[in-house]
Amino acid sequence: MAADLVISGGSVVTSRGQQRLDVAISGGRIDRIGPPGVLEARRFVDAGGLVLLPGGVDSHVHLMDPGSTDREDFPSGTRAAACAGTTTVIEHSHGHPVRTVNDLEAKLDHLGGRSNVDFALAAHAWPGDESAKVRLWQAGIAFFKVFTCTTHGVPGHDVAALRRHLRTTADIGAVSLIHCEDESLTASAESLLRAADRHDPGLVLEWRDRDAEVVAAAVTALLVRRTGAKACIAHVSHAEVAEYLSAERARGAGLFAETCPQYLLLRENEIHEHGPFRKFTPPARNRTAADEAEQWQQLRDGRITHVSSDHAPSTADQKTSGDIWDVHFGLPGLDTTMPLLLDAAVRGRLAYEDVARLYAEVPARLYGLWPRKGGIAPGFDADIVFFDPSPTRTVRNEDVLSKAGWTPFEGRTVQGRVVRTLLRGEVVSEDGAPVDARSGEFISGAGRR
């Protein structure tokens, strides 16, 4: 029987390798994969000379919708995602947190017809609110976002509260994404810095210092192992943190380690020049080329398990409209995460197979979206990125589709270009321009399914 569509002549990438194959799509899903020239279809698309990758699964995204939509919303954020090759996002907004099933249902009602890519939703874990967590998991959230220090108005978990949370999630099979900075260290540093009347950008490095992250991550990793929970440490900023997590994983912890492009490509000292445009937490830690090389190595060998954007934008006006203490944490990232990873593949820092593993397969598996999302194989959604490795371009603020309108990677030269993105077999971006179809669907988490 002829398929709806066959993509012919492309080099198909999975985490296990790449091969020139044709891909047949029917009803929005991948029907068959076969050698060139064999599959039958009513329509053919020539992908000769292009690399075909699974659509990105960005598992750490803040689109502020509903809430602070002057910073970002679903239509603009998911346009950026689609054009960059990201076809699924897992979103949570600190300004309008999901804490109850009613919150989740209200958010889903609001988001109807607002997304250009498929999406799952996370909930915020409040210390001590264990019964709500059970109901939220059963209602279909993808994970719980947990803080170990009060941030963005969300209360932090101390060690006792964190252990209670992890025991609850272990009992119900839920997953947590945990922001690791030690509350006592960040609070003490803040008190001393304010007493010294510090207002220079460099205070961020002392306020959210390396010890705060290492201490919280090491304690969290131990508790994940001892409770039998499943969790991911968010935005691992430097190699030492990843080493602690890797050691606990080797002891049997159900533990994952996420990083973001800002921790691979930005440097610690840039905050002195760029000020609020480098205010994110944990801050960038790399000081030398050797630091950077070690983190890329950890990506290749699996000590860092996957990549996300931690897309948390503010406009340039918002980033400059207050004191360094007061402006928002966070960076835009959906426009650039997949392109930067693919640039790394063209340049030999990663393989294409690494990109498929780090930004599609592992997050899809971790958060219960596999085998619908994260791969190119029969039965999967036909979420496919067409990538041309030949052209060179410069990242520019004026090309950013996020409401932020700027990127910390402005001026960087990248190799290659996403030329088309398919979501369930339909085009959602073409030649760098979005197809604003608002066809994205909600995907419920594993607790509901």
Side-chain angles (χ1 to χ4, degrees):
M1 182 176 175
D4 297 338
L5 170 70
V6 164
I7 305 168
S8 63
S11 180
V12 174
V13 177
T14 71
S15 65
R16 290 162 293 285
Q18 57 180 302
Q19 188 177 356
R20 188 163 174 257
L21 295 166
D22 288 356
V23 181
I25 298 169
S26 292
R29 296 211 171 187
I30 297 170
D31 183 15
R32 286 161 287 164
I33 296 177
V38 172
L39 301 178
E40 297 180 356
R42 287 182 283 277
R43 185 164 64 93
F44 287 81
V45 170
D46 182 14
L50 301 179
V51 180
L52 301 177
L53 296 107
V57 178
D58 198 314
S59 54
H60 191 163
V61 171
H62 309 286
L63 296 179
M64 321 298 179
D65 193 354
S68 304
T69 52
D70 55 332
R71 294 177 60 187
E72 185 65 288
D73 59 22
F74 258 78
S76 62
T78 57
R79 279 196 298 268
C83 287
T86 299
T87 52
T88 305
V89 298
I90 306 180
E91 194 273 346
H92 59 291
S93 173
H94 303 312
H96 200 89
V98 169
R99 296 182 57 189
T100 68
V101 172
N102 285 342
D103 293 338
L104 177 64
E105 291 173 347
K107 182 161 184 168
L108 285 170
D109 286 344
H110 171 78
L111 293 178
R114 289 181 65 79
S115 186
N116 295 291
V117 301
D118 286 350
F119 64 96
L121 296 174
H124 283 75
W126 243 248
D129 204 358
E130 305 310 309
S131 60
K133 295 169 187 175
V134 177
R135 293 191 292 272
L136 280 162
W137 183 245
Q138 293 169 345
I141 63 153
F143 62 76
F144 291 99
K145 179 64 177 291
V146 182
F147 286 89
T148 62
C149 59
T150 299
T151 308
H152 310 302
V154 181
H157 287 63
D158 63 19
V159 174
L162 180 60
R163 186 174 66 169
R164 284 195 299 274
H165 169 81
L166 291 171
R167 283 174 169 169
T168 296
T169 59
D171 287 343
I172 61 177
V175 186
S176 299
L177 176 66
I178 305 178
H179 177 124
C180 287
E181 291 177 289
D182 182 82
E183 177 98 69
S184 63
L185 293 176
T186 59
S188 174
E190 180 176 353
S191 178
L192 291 170
L193 289 162
R194 288 187 183 275
D197 199 28
R198 288 277 299 277
H199 296 275
D200 60 288
L203 69 84
V204 175
L205 305 177
E206 299 174 49
W207 177 20
R208 323 295 286 219
D209 69 11
R210 291 168 183 251
D211 286 348
E213 184 183 4
V214 170
V215 167
V219 170
T220 298
L222 182 148
L223 289 176
V224 169
R225 173 171 59 85
R226 292 180 69 87
T227 58
K230 186 176 182 181
C232 175
I233 306 305
H235 37 56
V236 171
S237 73
H238 64 111
E240 186 181 6
V241 176
E243 292 294 347
Y244 277 99
L245 306 183
S246 183
E248 287 294 349
R249 195 181 308 122
R251 296 184 181 106
L255 195 60
F256 291 74
E258 165 204 278
T259 198
C260 315
Q262 51 266 38
Y263 301 110
L264 300 166
L265 296 170
L266 303 182
R267 295 289 174 89
E268 184 179 74
N269 63 2
E270 291 177 21
I271 197 166
H272 300 293
E273 177 184 355
H274 296 281
F277 295 96
R278 295 295 185 273
K279 185 186 177 186
F280 53 95
T281 192
R285 308 286 194 199
N286 287 343
R287 294 168 177 165
T288 66
D291 293 341
E292 192 172 301
E294 176 60 17
Q295 281 192 283
W296 286 103
Q297 178 59 42
Q298 290 183 331
L299 277 176
R300 290 190 295 270
D301 67 28
R303 284 175 288 172
I304 296 176
T305 57
H306 61 288
V307 173
S308 76
S309 65
D310 191 9
H311 179 78
S314 299
T315 66
D317 285 346
Q318 290 167 335
K319 276 289 193 182
T320 54
S321 62
D323 187 272
I324 190 67
W325 288 105
D326 303 322
V327 296
H328 295 295
F329 284 112
L331 300 177
L334 280 171
D335 292 89
T336 51
T337 296
M338 178 71 100
L340 290 169
L341 291 173
L342 290 170
D343 172 72
V346 176
R347 296 176 189 271
R349 279 186 140 167
L350 296 174
Y352 288 119
E353 293 93 325
D354 292 325
V355 178
R357 171 175 57 86
L358 293 164
Y359 197 54
E361 181 171 332
V362 170
R365 286 182 181 274
L366 171 60
Y367 295 117
L369 308 180
W370 184 274
R372 179 176 174 182
K373 301 293 186 182
I376 298 179
F380 281 72
D381 283 357
D383 299 346
I384 299 174
V385 177
F386 295 59
F387 177 68
D388 182 352
S390 302
T392 299
R393 67 181 179 92
T394 300
V395 178
R396 305 184 306 168
N397 288 338
E398 53 261 44
D399 297 328
V400 170
L401 294 173
S402 162
K403 276 193 176 182
W406 64 276
T407 167
F409 303 105
E410 206 264 344
R412 181 178 292 269
T413 299
V414 295
Q415 187 74 30
R417 185 165 177 262
V418 172
V419 297
R420 181 180 295 142
T421 305
L422 301 186
L423 174 70
R424 287 178 274 106
E426 298 298 323
V427 175
V428 289
S429 81
E430 186 81 51
D431 292 326
V435 177
D436 200 358
R438 309 287 176 89
S439 56
E441 298 178 353
F442 172 65
I443 306 171
S444 64
R448 181 174 180 181
R449 296 197 302 274

